[in-house]
Amino acid sequence: MTLKQKKYFPDNSPYILRDLSWLEFNDRVMQEGLNSQLPLGERLRFLAIVSSNLDEYFKVRVASAKQRVASASFCSSFEEISDQDLLKKISLRSHQLVQEQTEGILACMKELSEYGINLLRYQELSPKDKKYLRTIFETNILPVLTPMAVEDLSPSPLLPSLQLHVALWLRIPVTTENHFNKSASSPPPVSQKISPETENEISFSGEDEKSKIPGAISRKGAKTGGKTKKKNPENSNENLGKNKKTSSKKGAALLEVSQTSLELNPNEFSEAQKHDGPSDSSYMEKLAVIPVPTHLSRLVMLSEEGNAANYVFLEEIIAENADLLFPGCEVLASAIFRITRDEDVIIRDQEMEDMTKTIRDAVLSRKRRNAVRLEISAKTDPRIERKLLEMLSLTDADVYTNSALLDATIFFELARFPALKKACYEDWPAVHAYDLMETDNIMETVATRDVMLFHPYEKFDPVIELLQTAAEDPDVLAIKQTLYRTSGDSSIVKALKKAATNGKEVVVLVELKARFDEAQNVEWALQLENAGCHVIYGVVGLKTHAKAMLIVRRQHGRIQRYVHLSTGNYNEKTAKLYSDIGLMTAHPEITADVAAFFNLLTGYSEVVGWNRLTVEPFRLKRRFLELIDREIDFSSPEHPGRIRMKLNSLEDTDMINKLYEASQHGVKIDINVRGICCLRPGIPGLSENIHVRSIIDRYLEHARIFEFLNGGHPELYLSSADWMTRNLERRLEIIFPVLSPVIRHRLSNMLDIYFADNVKAQILYPDGHWEKVFSEAGEEPIRAQQMIYEECVANSTASAHPPLRYIPLRHKEKD
C-alpha cells in the first residue's frame, strides 16, 4: 500500500510527535462524524466530541507549548523540535480539522430537516419572523444581557473561556448628548439621565480624568446629578422594536445631559476612530461585547408546523437585535466569537498548607489566564477581528474561522431530541455480569472465586451493591477506597457516607488534582469529612490515579478482605459510556497488597515488597520493561515471542525503545491504542514486527490490558496506567495480574476480537497517518464492540437458566 504523501511528522525521528498524534486521534473521531453510513444522531455526537476534545487540547497542550515559548524553555521531551515550530504544525493541522468539521456540521444541519428539525440562519428569515424574534428578544432575552464596553472599562472585563460572545462594531456619536470615555476613572461632575428602558443594560462607564468630558454613562445607568428632561414617550419599550438599527439622531434622545459648555480635545481620538458624521457631528468607532447567557437555551424555537419545528440560534438573535442595547449608536458590524484560555495550571502540593484553598485558588486562576485560541464566525469584519486579537494578544495563526456554528457541543443536546431517536444506534442495555449470574450474595461469591465485570456491556450495579452491602453489614469493620473522578449524584459517595454513619472505619483518598474535576472533588471531600470519613489527599508530589476498593470483614472468627480493582473510575455515569474492566477478588496475596497500598497512602509506611501488585512509580515502568525483556529471552525464530496490549496512550520513550528492541528480536507485537501513539510501526530493521490499530466506536475504549506469551505460559495483566511518562513516573498506579484461568481465557478471546475488527478499526502507518481497515471480499464483517456485547448477552441468557446444582443435605449440628 502506498503511503499518503501528506506528512505532519519529521522523517528523521523514530517517534511521532505526541501533540500531532493526538490531533490524528481527533481526526479518527471526526471520521465517524463524517461517515454518512452512521445514523445522523451518532454523527452529531461524534462531531460534538471533536469540539469538546479540541477545547481541552487547546487549554492544556497548546497552552503548555505557549507557556514554554513565553518562558524561553525548550521542550525537554524526545520531540526534537522547537515549540515555535510545534505550534506552527499544530495550527496547520488544527485548521484543517476545523475545516473538515465545518463541512460535516453543515451537512448534518441540512440533513436534520428530514427529521423535522430545521436550524434556520437569521439571514434566511422572513421580515415577519424577524419581527417576532425581535419581540422575543425584547421581552425574554434583553433583560438578562450584560453589554460591555471592553475598550473603556478598567480593569478590562473578564471574557469567560469557552463561552459564546457577540462582538459589535459600534459607531458612537461624539456630541454633547453622548460620549464614551477611554477609562473607568471617577464619574464626570455633570448631570445625565438614562431612560428607564435602558437602565441596567449599559455597561459603558467612567471618563478620562484629563478630558473631563460630560455625558459619560455609568455602568448601572445611575444619575450623576444636574438637570434632567422628561421622558420622551417615543422611546418607550413598545416603540423600541420599531427602531431597526438606531441612528445617532433618533437614539440620542435617550441620553440627555445638561447643556454645559463642552471642550473636546481633537487629538483624543485616533484617525481610525474619528470621522465626520452624517449630521454635522463627528463620531468614533469602538468594540462592544455581549456574553451569550449560558442559562438560556441556545436553540430558540421560532415555530412549529405539523411534526416539524424551526429553531434559531440564540447568539444570532442577540447579534441581529443588539442595537436595542446601544441607543444612540449604530451597529456597523457584528460577529460571534469564543475564547479558549490557558488552563494548564500546575498545582504544587509540596508547598501546600491548605490543600482545598490551594485547589480553589487554582480553579479560579484559570478564569483569568491568557487566551490561546480565538474562534470566530466567518466573514467577520476585519476591524472586529483585529481588535480582538489586539486585546487577547493573539496572532492570526490563533484564529479559527467557522462558517457553520461555533461550539458544536450543542449537538449533544440535539442528538437527544425525541425526533432523532430513530436516527441513533439501537440501545444496548447492560446485562447482568456473567460471573455473578448464579448468586444472590456478592461477598459469598467473591470469597470463593474471582469475578470480572466488563462495563458498559455488563452492569456497574454490582460495584455499588458491594459497597452498599458493606455499609450496612454489621460484620464489616472498614472500607477504604480511592476516588479520582466520580459522578455528580454519586451512589458511591452516598454509600461511603452511610458506612461512616453506621460506625465503619471509612478511609477515602480523594485526588483533588484530577484535572478539571478539582472543584467537584473538593466538594466530595468536604461532604465525606462531614459524614465522619477519614479523607486523605494522596502522597506529596504524586497524583493517585489507581482505582481500588478494600472491604475488611469479620467472618467465622477471622478477618476476610475483599477487593475491587479497575481500569476505570468509580463513576456510574461514565461506566455506561467507557469500556472498562473491573476485578473483584478475595485472593489473599492481592488483598494483602491492596491493604499495604492504603497504608502507604495514609501513613509513613515503606513498602518492603509486593506479592502480586505493582504500584510505585519507576517500579511500574521497571515491571513492564522486565516483562518485555522476558519475552525477548523466550523468543526464537521457531517460537517467536508475542505481546498484545490494549491501552489509551503510548508515549513513553523507554517503553517505545524496548518495544523496538523486542521487534528486532522477532517478538510479534500487536497494539490496540485509542488515542496517542508516538511509536512508528512497520519500519524495516526497527519496528517491522509491530502492528498498531485503533478502534473508534459507540463506546470510549478505556481498558488497559497487557498479555505476554511467556514461553507458552501466558500471563495477563490489567492496569490503571497508560504507557505515558506521567503515568509511569509521576503517579501512583496499579498493575494487577489476572490469576483466574477462566477470566484470563475470556480476556484473551476479547483481544482476539479487537484485533480482528474490520469495521471500525484503523491501522497506523510509519509516517503517522491512519487508514481504515476494510474487510476483504467474502470476509465476514467483524465489529468488535458489537460482537463483545452479543457475547455478553448470550452468556447472560445462558446463565439465566443454569443447570441444577446438587447440594447434599447436612445434619444440623447439636448444641
Side-chain angles (χ1 to χ4, degrees), residues 245-520:
K245 297 262 180 180
T246 311
S247 66
S248 59
K249 280 190 174 182
K250 187 173 290 187
L254 289 171
L255 305 171
E256 302 182 23
V257 299
S258 61
Q259 301 301 312
T260 58
S261 61
L262 175 65
E263 294 182 7
L264 294 178
N265 182 355
N267 297 321
E268 182 178 350
F269 310 112
S270 66
E271 291 301 318
Q273 294 176 312
K274 186 178 64 176
H275 301 275
D276 291 331
S279 56
D280 73 2
S281 64
S282 62
Y283 63 87
M284 57 183 172
E285 296 179 5
K286 287 198 174 186
L287 178 72
V289 169
I290 306 172
V292 177
T294 56
H295 63 279
L296 297 181
S297 174
R298 193 177 168 192
L299 295 171
V300 179
M301 182 180 287
L302 175 63
S303 60
E304 286 185 282
E305 302 169 6
N307 294 325
N310 299 320
Y311 297 90
V312 182
F313 288 107
L314 174 64
E315 62 267 24
E316 293 189 7
I317 297 174
I318 295 173
E320 294 296 330
N321 295 280
D323 56 290
L324 294 180
L325 284 163
F326 299 96
C329 305
E330 182 179 358
V331 179
L332 299 178
S334 64
I336 316 298
F337 73 95
R338 188 170 179 257
I339 300 167
T340 308
R341 294 189 181 277
D342 174 356
E343 296 193 25
D344 187 34
V345 180
I346 299 175
I347 301 171
R348 303 188 183 282
D349 53 9
Q350 295 96 326
E351 303 168 4
M352 290 186 188
E353 294 181 2
D354 184 339
M355 174 78 83
T356 56
K357 181 180 184 302
T358 303
I359 295 292
R360 287 195 181 103
D361 291 345
V363 172
L364 289 173
S365 75
R366 287 180 178 148
K367 297 182 179 181
R368 291 193 172 275
R369 292 173 71 88
N370 294 336
V372 295
R373 177 180 60 163
L374 172 64
E375 299 171 272
I376 198 163
S377 51
K379 300 180 180 179
T380 292
D381 188 297
R383 293 170 293 183
I384 292 178
E385 183 174 322
R386 187 170 60 248
K387 180 60 70 174
L388 287 173
L389 289 178
E390 177 187 322
M391 287 173 48
L392 301 170
S393 300
L394 295 175
T395 67
D396 291 340
D398 301 314
V399 179
Y400 291 81
T401 302
N402 197 310
S403 59
L405 77 158
L406 301 184
D407 189 11
T409 57
I410 185 64
F411 280 178
F412 284 128
E413 179 182 339
L414 271 170
R416 292 191 293 268
F417 274 31
L420 287 177
K421 186 170 180 60
K422 294 182 180 179
C424 294
Y425 284 139
E426 180 184 355
D427 285 342
W428 287 355
V431 300
H432 294 289
Y434 173 67
D435 290 340
L436 291 172
M437 289 299 297
E438 301 175 24
T439 181
D440 295 325
N441 189 305
I442 295 179
M443 284 191 178
E444 286 184 2
T445 302
V446 175
T448 59
R449 67 173 187 267
D450 290 355
V451 169
M452 172 182 149
L453 303 172
F454 193 10
H455 316 302
Y457 311 101
E458 296 177 329
K459 294 180 179 179
F460 188 73
D461 297 5
V463 180
I464 299 173
E465 183 183 341
L466 177 64
L467 192 54
Q468 290 174 336
T469 301
E472 299 287 353
D473 188 341
D475 291 325
V476 169
L477 306 176
I479 301 173
K480 302 182 181 184
Q481 184 166 357
T482 62
L483 288 181
Y484 189 74
R485 302 184 197 276
T486 190
S487 55
D489 186 25
S490 174
S491 299
I492 298 288
V493 173
K494 290 177 181 177
L496 292 169
K497 290 160 65 176
K498 183 67 173 178
T501 303
N502 289 340
K504 317 295 183 190
E505 182 80 5
V506 180
V507 178
V508 187
L509 182 139
V510 180
E511 181 49 75
L512 297 185
K513 301 188 293 295
R515 196 192 299 270
F516 305 126
D517 279 335
E518 299 98 337
Q520 180 69 77

Side-chain angles (χ1 to χ4, degrees), residues 497-605:
K497 290 160 65 176
K498 183 67 173 178
T501 303
N502 289 340
K504 317 295 183 190
E505 182 80 5
V506 180
V507 178
V508 187
L509 182 139
V510 180
E511 181 49 75
L512 297 185
K513 301 188 293 295
R515 196 192 299 270
F516 305 126
D517 279 335
E518 299 98 337
Q520 180 69 77
N521 285 2
V522 166
E523 179 62 29
W524 290 135
L526 294 176
Q527 287 188 27
L528 290 165
E529 284 180 340
N530 291 337
C533 301
H534 300 291
V535 179
I536 54 177
Y537 303 133
V539 177
V540 172
L542 298 173
K543 185 181 287 188
T544 303
H545 192 248
K547 325 311 184 190
M549 178 201 299
L550 172 67
I551 296 170
V552 181
R553 186 174 188 264
R554 183 193 299 112
Q555 60 188 58
H556 307 305
R558 62 186 180 85
I559 296 298
Q560 174 71 54
R561 297 187 183 109
Y562 299 87
V563 158
H564 175 265
L565 299 168
S566 180
T567 66
N569 297 306
Y570 290 103
N571 187 322
E572 53 258 53
K573 291 185 178 179
T574 57
K576 297 176 182 178
L577 304 171
Y578 291 13
S579 171
D580 271 308
I581 297 169
L583 182 72
M584 293 179 176
T585 183
H587 190 284
E589 290 184 316
I590 290 180
T591 57
D593 281 353
V594 174
F597 167 71
F598 278 105
N599 290 339
L600 181 71
L601 296 177
T602 58
Y604 294 106
S605 304

Side-chain angles (χ1 to χ4, degrees), residues 44-58:
L44 292 174
R45 286 195 182 98
F46 279 113
L47 291 172
I49 291 170
V50 170
S51 285
S52 178
N53 284 349
L54 280 173
D55 287 347
E56 183 164 344
Y57 178 74
F58 272 87

Side-chain angles (χ1 to χ4, degrees), residues 163-184:
Q163 182 175 342
L164 290 173
H165 296 82
V166 174
L168 303 168
W169 195 255
L170 301 177
R171 172 180 286 165
I172 306 167
V174 181
T175 66
T176 57
E177 287 83 15
N178 186 13
H179 177 70
F180 293 92
N181 298 290
K182 292 205 264 187
S183 67

